[in-house]
Amino acid sequence: MSTIDIPIQPRSKHGRSVWGPRTWPVLRYSQPPRAALLGSALAGLVGAATLVDNTFGVPVTAVAFVVVLLAARRGRLSRWEWAGVAGALALASVSALRAAEWIVTMSTTLAIVVAVVVLSRAWTWTGIALGGLLPVLLPVRVARWIRRGAGSIDLEGPRPVRAGMVAAVTIALVVVFAALFGAADKRFSDALGAVTPEFDAASIFGRILVFVLTAAGALAVCYVALHPPRFDRLAPSPRRSVQLWEWMIPLGAVVALFVVFVGFQVPTLFGGQGHVATTEGLTNAEYARQGFWQLLAVTVLTLFVIAVTVAKAPRNRRGDRIALRALLGALCLLSLVIVASALHRMSLYEQQYGYTTLRLFVTAVEWWLGSVFVLLLISGARMSGRWLPRAVGVGAVLTVLTLAALNPDAYIARHNVDRFEQTGRIDTSYVGGLSSDADAELERLPVYVRPCVQARGPVFVGDTWHLCTDPAVSVP
């Protein structure tokens, strides 16, 4: 009886992945290198020691992440990756310089996004957007990666179990003898108490949790650095299938509408306080909010129109390129006019009602959106937009760093105190809730106002007692 040989197909090294083998394959047999495992454990110890009740915990842990990355990464970092490292470290350092929780949270979150996006090597809008989602996509992959690598640890010399037993015996002996020596000599006991940290059950649990999360984060960074996704391959390829007149007519109509709108709205856009005073039913709050939402709507719509036009409009002939530059440039310039108007409106609003965190943040966003239009103008002049997504991201990082360097809570307090000196009014409930960054500026307030800002009791101004629950203190 004859037999038939059936060839056995070799098992693929790639596991199943929703992204496909060309975009981000699951490497079935990949294991973390020893440097990544040990370095991540050390980074976890650094995080457990510094992230709890330590001002410099976040930047120190970020530096530990960089060290682990350099130890586990094969080859040198590119210039773009070094720029990402510098940006992430700068953002992480904000927590050591500022006490305002909102700017610290924003900077730390953006540092994580910058790290994963840069390590993913993305340069398209699609790649950057998906790269920003990596913290959500990584846990399952990293857990499997760690599980495969944990069983392959082979420490040269003593086995890990015996090494752990030696460490436990050493700690036990030191603790016992230190306790005996402390009981024998008071000065030694005092010195021992000064250098021995106090631990309780909650503190120990918290530090263990921080250790696990920090070590896992360091391993996630190593995983992305060693197995970066190729999300840029999912970006749609441009299909320039329209003719000149097919895109020029609608875009020209939009530009003409912008011109007419700006022409009719000059009193509204730049009329300022005079326009508010002469318009029935219009308040400064409505005037400023209308400008901001107008800016936001125009920005989203304009960016969408530009993206579609650039993707569809042909650029083979010189006439096509001239028309594209002219119309898109006009659209960006007109949008910059609206940006300037919104900034002007917000300035008037702040002068009349004072500065707040939200108003300062909105102003920063408006400046960043204005920079996006400037970048679009440069991209249109060069007829090259490959660098544009990264440039927009760099602009966002610089905006947050500038906001942090401005010391926002101190800036808000300073301008509110200046406004108090001019008008005699200040929102004590709001400025009293600012972080310690504002303390130096609030010390400029008169002594009869400081107790109310600090919520210690009523203040007596003129012939009237003002309670600290009042929204503002008015000086006659």
Side-chain angles (χ1 to χ4, degrees):
M1 186 173 182
S2 61
T3 60
I4 299 175
D5 295 332
I6 300 176
I8 299 177
Q9 297 294 335
R11 191 178 183 183
S12 173
K13 66 178 181 179
H14 292 164
R16 292 183 179 181
S17 172
V18 296
W19 304 103
R22 294 184 67 253
T23 303
W24 199 20
V26 175
L27 301 180
R28 192 186 301 275
Y29 305 110
S30 173
Q31 297 178 359
R34 183 189 303 175
L37 290 172
L38 298 181
S40 298
L42 292 176
L45 291 175
V46 171
T50 61
L51 286 176
V52 180
D53 298 329
N54 193 311
T55 304
F56 297 94
V58 174
V60 170
T61 306
V63 172
F65 274 40
V66 174
V67 173
V68 175
L69 170 64
L70 295 177
R73 173 72 180 270
R74 301 184 185 94
R76 298 180 178 179
L77 299 182
S78 64
R79 293 182 179 179
W80 174 244
E81 289 172 328
W82 277 117
V85 168
L89 290 178
L91 290 167
S93 300
V94 172
S95 62
L97 302 175
R98 298 290 176 255
E101 293 184 1
W102 67 275
I103 190 66
V104 170
T105 302
M106 184 190 306
S107 302
T108 305
T109 304
L110 187 57
I112 297 173
V113 173
V114 167
V116 295
V117 168
V118 171
L119 288 176
S120 67
R121 307 175 190 176
W123 58 269
T124 63
W125 294 112
T126 302
I128 290 176
L130 292 176
L133 295 176
L134 275 177
V136 181
L137 305 175
L138 279 172
V140 175
R141 284 175 175 258
V142 174
R144 293 174 179 173
W145 195 53
I146 296 172
R147 188 179 61 213
R148 289 193 297 267
S152 65
I153 297 179
D154 184 18
L155 295 176
E156 298 179 0
R159 295 287 183 179
V161 175
R162 298 182 67 86
M165 292 178 61
V166 171
V169 171
T170 303
I171 294 174
L173 290 174
V174 170
V175 170
V176 170
F177 280 99
L180 292 174
F181 285 137
D185 187 89
K186 187 178 183 304
R187 290 190 304 171
F188 181 83
S189 177
D190 294 339
L192 189 65
V195 299
T196 303
E198 296 182 1
F199 294 105
D200 53 23
S203 175
I204 293 175
F205 176 78
R207 291 181 185 274
I208 292 175
L209 181 61
V210 171
F211 167 80
V212 173
L213 295 177
T214 306
L219 281 168
V221 169
C222 293
Y223 182 88
V224 177
L226 296 174
H227 307 293
R230 296 290 185 266
F231 290 143
D232 293 325
R233 292 176 177 174
L234 301 177
S237 58
R239 298 179 180 179
R240 298 180 176 88
S241 58
V242 298
Q243 299 180 10
L244 176 62
W245 66 273
E246 291 178 308
W247 66 264
M248 189 172 179
I249 290 178
L251 187 61
V254 171
V255 172
L257 182 62
F258 267 61
V259 172
V260 173
F261 175 78
V262 171
F264 271 93
Q265 295 296 316
V266 166
T268 304
L269 297 175
F270 298 104
Q273 203 64 40
H275 173 71
V276 175
T278 57
T279 303
E280 184 178 358
L282 182 64
T283 65
N284 280 284
E286 295 172 349
Y287 183 60
R289 283 196 296 267
Q290 182 184 16
F292 171 68
W293 292 114
Q294 182 185 68
L295 165 68
L296 189 60
V298 167
T299 301
V300 174
L301 182 60
T302 303
L303 292 176
F304 175 76
V305 170
I306 291 174
V308 173
T309 303
V310 171
K312 297 295 183 181
R315 288 175 276 179
N316 298 328
R317 296 181 300 177
R318 185 169 179 269
D320 294 336
R321 294 192 293 271
I322 292 176
L324 192 62
R325 285 193 179 103
L327 290 178
L328 292 183
L331 195 58
C332 291
L333 288 173
L334 291 169
S335 298
L336 283 174
V337 173
I338 299 178
V339 170
S341 167
L343 289 171
H344 179 62
R345 294 180 184 205
M346 185 56 69
S347 175
L348 292 175
Y349 190 32
E350 289 169 333
Q351 290 175 14
Q352 183 161 358
Y353 294 102
Y355 285 68
T356 64
T357 300
L358 179 60
R359 294 165 195 168
L360 184 60
F361 175 74
V362 166
T363 301
V365 170
E366 290 171 347
W367 276 105
W368 174 66
L369 293 176
S371 70
V372 172
F373 284 108
V374 173
L375 292 173
L376 287 173
L377 284 171
I378 298 173
S379 177
R382 298 180 58 182
M383 277 295 166
S384 174
R386 181 183 175 90
W387 52 272
L388 185 60
R390 288 183 173 182
V392 172
V394 170
V397 172
L398 293 177
T399 299
V400 174
L401 289 177
T402 302
L403 196 60
L406 188 64
N407 196 353
D409 278 16
Y411 181 87
I412 293 168
R414 179 166 61 254
H415 282 275
N416 278 284
V417 172
D418 292 341
R419 179 174 172 271
F420 172 79
E421 293 174 349
Q422 297 172 3
T423 65
R425 298 190 62 82
I426 188 171
D427 189 341
T428 57
S429 61
Y430 182 80
V431 297
L434 295 174
S435 68
S436 58
D437 294 336
D439 290 349
E441 297 295 338
L442 295 179
E443 288 295 326
R444 296 167 46 204
L445 288 170
V447 292
Y448 55 82
V449 179
R450 292 180 202 166
C452 197
V453 171
Q454 299 168 354
R456 294 178 180 174
V459 295
F460 187 75
V461 180
D463 298 328
T464 307
W465 285 95
H466 296 267
L467 298 176
C468 291
T469 54
D470 292 340
V473 172
S474 179
V475 177

